[in-house]
């Protein structure tokens, strides 16, 4: 089943609950939580306090995307009853295998994100351990950037890799996804679509979610 995870990063933070309600009622299945530390990426977003303010206010599971250095120090802070995935960047983890085990030790599904220039082979020796691979189709740090087309071939390669080695893995794409290009990524094997600006900056976010879901069928 393919799912849509609107990214909270592009929401209006002054009325967070309203924005979350809007996309949940429109049918979005997960909430993508972009955490940035100003070190791994050149931007600072928000941390666990903001994420936890939504507990009890939404039934959507959280898809936590940690764009931070030393994620091992903070993983525990993101473990909540809503947390489905915690995803770390391969580029930020010196001991990636250890970090994956740490996420799983909390009973949370483990994901690894790859920057556009990072090859899939960095996952070769942990691939069977993973619940999600998040392919970045922009350089992480900001919403509203343009989709990098080389991600399309990377999705296909990842899907092939998953067919033989980890058929239930979630293949996620993040960055520059719109209602115009979402079909192309889903056709190539994406099962979790992250979209920020194309949802929250749309004239009508409810309609945008519905259009996404329609295109993803
Ligand atoms: C970028 C973040 C994304 C971002 C996507 O570093 O990881 O999740 O919110 O925003 P859009 O969909 O606008 O590219
Ligand atoms: Zn993200």
């Amino acid at each position: 089943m393919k799912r849509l995870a609107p990214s909270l990063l592009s929401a209006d933070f002054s009325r967070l609950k309203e924005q979350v309600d809007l996309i949940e009622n429109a049918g979005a299945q997960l909430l993508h939580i972009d955490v940035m530390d100003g070190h791994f990426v050149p931007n600072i977003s928000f941390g666990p306090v903001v994420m936890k303010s939504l507990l009890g206010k939404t039934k959507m599971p959280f898809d936590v995307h940690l764009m931070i250095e030393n994620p091992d120090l903070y993983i525990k802070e993101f473990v909540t009853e809503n947390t489905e995935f915690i995803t770390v960047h391969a580029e930020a983890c010196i001991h990636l295998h250890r970090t994956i085990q740490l996420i799983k030790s909390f009973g949370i599904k483990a994901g690894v994100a790859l920057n556009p220039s990072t090859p899939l082979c960095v996952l070769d020796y942990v691939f069977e351990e993973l619940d999600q691979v998040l392919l970045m189709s922009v350089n992480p740090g900001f919403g509203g950037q343009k989709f990098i087309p080389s991600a399309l071939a990377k999705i296909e390669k990842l899907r092939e890799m998953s067919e033989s080695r980890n058929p239930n893995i979630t293949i996620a794409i993040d960055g520059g996804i719109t209602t115009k290009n979402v079909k192309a990524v889903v056709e190539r094997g994406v099962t979790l679509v992250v979209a920020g600006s194309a949802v929250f900056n749309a004239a009508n976010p409810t309609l945008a979610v519905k259009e996404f879901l329609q295109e993803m069928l």
Side-chain angles (χ1 to χ4, degrees):
M1 187 199 155
K2 284 159 262 172
R3 296 190 286 173
L4 177 68
S7 165
L8 197 63
L9 187 67
S10 290
D12 178 349
F13 292 157
S14 69
R15 35 190 205 106
L16 216 44
K17 162 88 166 79
E18 252 174 72
Q19 299 260 282
V20 169
D21 283 348
L22 207 63
I23 57 151
E24 184 167 21
N25 293 335
Q29 293 97 341
L30 285 96
L31 187 60
H32 186 79
I33 307 280
D34 283 308
V35 180
M36 304 179 181
D37 66 352
H39 291 272
F40 178 67
V41 289
N43 195 10
I44 299 174
S45 59
F46 53 82
V49 175
V50 171
M51 186 191 88
K52 286 175 175 165
S53 75
L54 294 169
L55 291 174
K57 311 244 175 324
T58 174
K59 289 196 171 58
M60 281 186 292
F62 297 156
D63 177 42
V64 180
H65 179 192
L66 296 181
M67 287 163 274
I68 64 173
E69 285 178 0
N70 296 317
D72 294 24
L73 298 178
Y74 303 100
I75 280 166
K76 197 166 181 277
E77 301 294 325
F78 293 93
V79 176
T80 71
E81 65 264 29
N82 280 50
T83 311
E84 176 168 344
F85 294 103
I86 295 180
T87 295
V88 293
H89 267 265
E91 304 85 1
C93 295
I94 298 169
H95 304 287
L96 183 58
H97 183 273
R98 175 183 285 154
T99 305
I100 293 163
Q101 303 311 318
L102 179 64
I103 297 169
K104 297 199 332 179
S105 75
F106 294 108
I108 304 286
K109 294 179 186 167
V112 174
L114 302 179
N115 285 337
S117 68
T118 303
L120 292 173
C121 64
V122 302
L123 302 176
D124 264 355
Y125 297 96
V126 291
F127 196 65
E128 283 78 3
E129 306 285 326
L130 294 178
D131 299 295
Q132 179 187 142
V133 175
L134 175 66
L135 297 180
M136 290 305 306
S137 40
V138 298
N139 289 298
F142 303 92
Q145 303 181 80
K146 207 168 160 289
F147 180 82
I148 298 173
S150 61
L152 292 175
K154 205 171 180 184
I155 298 166
E156 284 174 351
K157 218 170 151 193
L158 175 58
R159 195 201 55 218
E160 279 168 30
M161 195 168 157
S162 72
E163 273 163 9
S164 55
R165 295 180 55 185
N166 191 342
N168 294 324
I169 200 165
T170 294
I171 298 182
I173 191 90
D174 185 3
I177 303 298
T178 66
T179 52
K180 300 274 177 288
N181 63 14
V182 68
K183 210 180 216 25
V185 298
V186 164
E187 276 171 0
R188 283 170 173 81
V190 163
T191 52
L192 179 58
V193 171
V194 178
S197 52
V199 170
F200 286 107
N201 298 349
N204 183 339
T206 302
L207 210 63
V209 167
K210 291 194 167 148
E211 270 174 38
F212 264 105
L213 295 174
Q214 191 62 37
E215 289 292 310
M216 286 161 60
L217 286 177

